[in-house]
């Protein structure tokens, strides 16, 4: 297969990878932020301390996070089929990507919120701010720079997971590299896919670093 034939497939694969990564970052990022804030707030001594709620959230997060993504994607296949209507293709791959990213992001959010100086929280309390206002207007803002770096880390992990999803029909650059490179012994195609993924990751890292620096200098 010559490059004239491969080029539109390659460009489509790039678009599919970016689509999966962006949708997963937005959906998983928002849900992960909410879950992470609840994990932080319900801890012992937290603003909304609740031992039972914290235990349940921790158990759920700990069940999902250790599962390798390729196994997780196949394990929730019946749920994906019920929600998306298929287990093959970009939409089918995006669903488990969003779930996996949500729980990964929740731990990163929790870990970054824990590092916020307790004195800042006490000062906000002393000024009469309620728990929700403290969580979103004080704690989340104080941790904004590290949170951006955390989201950048997860975005790069998401790009890696899209490549894994390609191994079982998820589309994107992973499937392009396997189907048109590895399975046809066309190492040039594999190399092009790898270099493209590296470029995407580098661009994401530079953008994340720049945003984090801007947030930290506020």
């Amino acid at each position: 297969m010559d490059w004239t034939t491969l080029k539109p497939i390659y460009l489509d694969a790039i678009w599919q990878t970016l689509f999966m990564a962006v949708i997963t970052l937005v959906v998983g990022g928002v849900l992960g932020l909410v879950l992470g804030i609840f994990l932080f707030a319900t801890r012992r001594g937290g603003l909304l301390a609740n031992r039972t709620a914290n235990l349940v959230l921790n158990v759920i997060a700990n069940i999902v996070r250790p599962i390798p993504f390729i196994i997780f994607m196949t394990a929730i296949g019946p749920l994906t089929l019920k929600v998306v209507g298929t287990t093959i293709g970009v939409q089918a791959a995006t669903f488990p990507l969003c779930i996996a990213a949500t729980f990964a992001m929740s731990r990163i959010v929790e870990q970054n919120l824990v590092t916020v100086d307790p004195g800042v929280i006490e000062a906000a309390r002393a000024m009469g701010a309620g728990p929700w206002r403290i969580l979103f207007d004080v704690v989340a803002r104080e941790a904004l720079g590290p949170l951006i770096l955390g989201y950048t880390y997860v975005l790069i992990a998401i790009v890696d997971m899209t490549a894994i999803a390609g191994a079982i029909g998820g589309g994107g650059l992973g499937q392009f590299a396997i189907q048109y490179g590895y399975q046809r012994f066309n190492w040039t195609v594999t190399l092009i896919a790898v270099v493209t993924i590296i470029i995407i990751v580098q661009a994401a890292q530079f953008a994340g670093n720049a945003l984090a620096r801007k947030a930290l200098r506020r």
Side-chain angles (χ1 to χ4, degrees), residues 24-204:
T24 302
L25 181 66
V26 172
V27 176
V30 171
L31 295 178
L33 178 64
V34 173
L35 182 56
I37 287 176
F38 272 105
L39 280 166
F40 169 75
T42 56
R43 295 163 65 96
R44 182 185 297 176
L47 291 164
L48 302 170
N50 186 314
R51 185 176 179 181
T52 303
N54 188 261
L55 179 63
V56 171
L57 292 175
N58 268 296
V59 169
I60 294 173
N62 289 339
I63 288 174
V64 176
R65 284 182 61 241
I67 304 174
F69 180 68
I70 195 166
I71 297 175
F72 177 74
M73 189 175 175
T74 54
I76 68 165
L79 180 61
T80 303
L81 182 62
K82 194 168 185 178
V83 174
V84 184
T86 177
T87 57
I88 303 294
V90 174
Q91 285 76 18
T94 305
F95 180 69
L97 279 168
C98 289
I99 297 176
T102 294
F103 289 101
M105 200 65 244
S106 68
R107 283 300 186 197
I108 289 177
V109 170
E110 180 193 20
Q111 290 166 8
N112 281 297
L113 296 187
V114 169
T115 63
V116 174
D117 184 358
V120 175
I121 299 174
E122 289 305 318
R125 269 179 168 165
M127 294 173 67
W132 295 108
R133 187 174 179 186
I134 294 174
L135 283 172
F136 288 97
D137 287 353
V138 178
V139 178
R141 286 192 178 188
E142 283 293 317
L144 184 59
L147 280 175
I148 292 174
L149 291 176
Y151 272 80
T152 304
Y153 175 82
V154 170
L155 175 58
I156 293 170
I158 290 169
V159 174
D160 290 343
M161 289 192 291
T162 64
I164 295 171
I168 51 176
L173 287 165
Q175 183 170 333
F176 176 75
I178 293 169
Q179 185 174 347
Y180 297 97
Y182 177 74
Q183 292 179 347
R184 301 187 184 199
F185 302 102
N186 189 336
W187 307 121
T188 302
V189 167
T190 305
L191 180 61
I192 289 172
V194 169
V195 170
T196 307
I197 291 173
I198 291 173
I199 292 171
I200 292 173
V201 167
Q202 290 290 342

